Amino acid sequence: MGKQTGAHIVWDWNGTLFHDNDAIIGATNAAFAELGLAPITMERYRALYCVPVPKFYERLLGRLPTEAEWAVMDETFHRYYTVHRVGCGLTAGAAELLAGWRSAGRSQSILSMYGHEELLPLVRGFGIEAHFIRVDGRTGPSGGSKAEHMTRHLAALTGVAGVDPARTVVIGDAADDAVAARHVGARAVLYTGGSHSRASLEEVGVPVVDTLAEAVVEAERLAA
């Protein structure tokens, strides 16, 4: 694709395009069990979840996990998530929204904190890879913020496709998506169907929507 002159969307993956709430809560409770913690409900998870992830565990433990505890919980979470994710699919209507945005001549990409090598075959498996000019997953340790990853992602898009950060909108399900967008001079729309409750998302000060269709409409408005 040539230089992009219109709006660009950076999509989050987990909890946004990929409806994996069941896998997330199943893997989280498996990780909690490793430390003898009681399982939590999805409602409690959404009320307490935050990034960096060790801070989320601090809210539940009353203290930050030790490095050894974090290593065990992180490994357990990812092992169980890989098992549980096979029963999950794209968020309702996502494929049609992606195709519509692309057919309108606009560009889009994915930036996820899911491991890059795991993300790529998952996106390909749903037959949607061609809709994106770039797909980036996390490289390096898990548990941190998306901001620095977003810097690299936008730099690559600007250099190769001429994407303008000022006309870029990040669509995600976590407060950290809005923080990452602000970090690079982009806008953000937050979706209530994933890891955060509406109340916690509304504290961020960006538009909050209940469907991805609403998110796309809002992205178009913000990038106009």
Side-chain angles (χ1 to χ4, degrees):
M1 299 179 73
K3 182 177 177 62
Q4 302 301 313
T5 57
H8 178 84
I9 292 176
V10 178
W11 292 95
D12 174 55
W13 179 249
N14 302 94
T16 304
L17 289 176
F18 188 46
H19 186 64
D20 60 350
N21 288 358
D22 289 344
I24 291 287
I25 197 66
T28 296
N29 282 330
F32 285 175
E34 291 291 324
L35 294 189
L37 295 173
I40 63 170
T41 63
M42 191 68 207
E43 290 71 26
R44 181 163 169 75
Y45 177 94
R46 283 161 49 84
L48 295 178
Y49 183 75
C50 63
V51 174
V53 178
K55 294 288 290 183
F56 167 55
Y57 290 137
E58 181 182 26
R59 292 180 174 185
L60 294 156
L61 288 168
R63 61 174 175 80
L64 278 171
T66 66
E67 287 188 15
E69 287 172 334
W70 165 249
V72 169
M73 295 173 82
D74 189 49
E75 187 280 329
T76 303
F77 174 89
H78 285 96
R79 177 159 40 89
Y80 276 84
Y81 178 83
T82 300
V83 173
H84 286 284
R85 79 177 189 197
V86 297
C88 301
L90 295 177
T91 299
E96 292 79 8
L97 289 168
L98 296 172
W101 188 263
R102 181 188 180 202
S103 67
R106 303 184 182 101
S107 62
Q108 57 198 328
S109 59
I110 291 177
L111 176 62
S112 173
M113 294 299 281
Y114 193 45
H116 186 70
E117 297 304 318
E118 292 78 24
L119 175 66
L120 289 180
L122 196 51
V123 172
R124 288 178 187 139
F126 285 111
I128 58 174
E129 185 182 20
H131 295 317
F132 306 106
I133 60 173
R134 188 174 183 90
V135 177
D136 284 332
R138 171 186 49 79
T139 56
S142 63
S145 173
K146 204 177 220 179
E148 293 305 320
H149 295 270
M150 187 68 75
T151 298
R152 291 191 291 272
H153 186 72
L154 258 293
L157 292 173
T158 301
V160 174
V163 169
D164 180 2
R167 299 202 66 195
T168 295
V169 180
V170 177
I171 298 178
D173 68 315
D176 192 51
D177 290 301
V179 172
R182 193 175 301 124
H183 187 69
V184 295
R187 310 293 284 277
V189 179
L190 298 180
Y191 163 62
T192 63
S195 61
H196 281 41
S197 66
R198 172 176 271 278
S200 63
L201 293 178
E202 287 177 340
E203 294 175 0
V204 183
V206 302
V208 176
V209 299
D210 296 318
T211 68
L212 293 187
E214 292 174 277
V216 169
V217 170
E218 191 66 20
E220 194 167 13
R221 182 186 71 80
L222 290 172

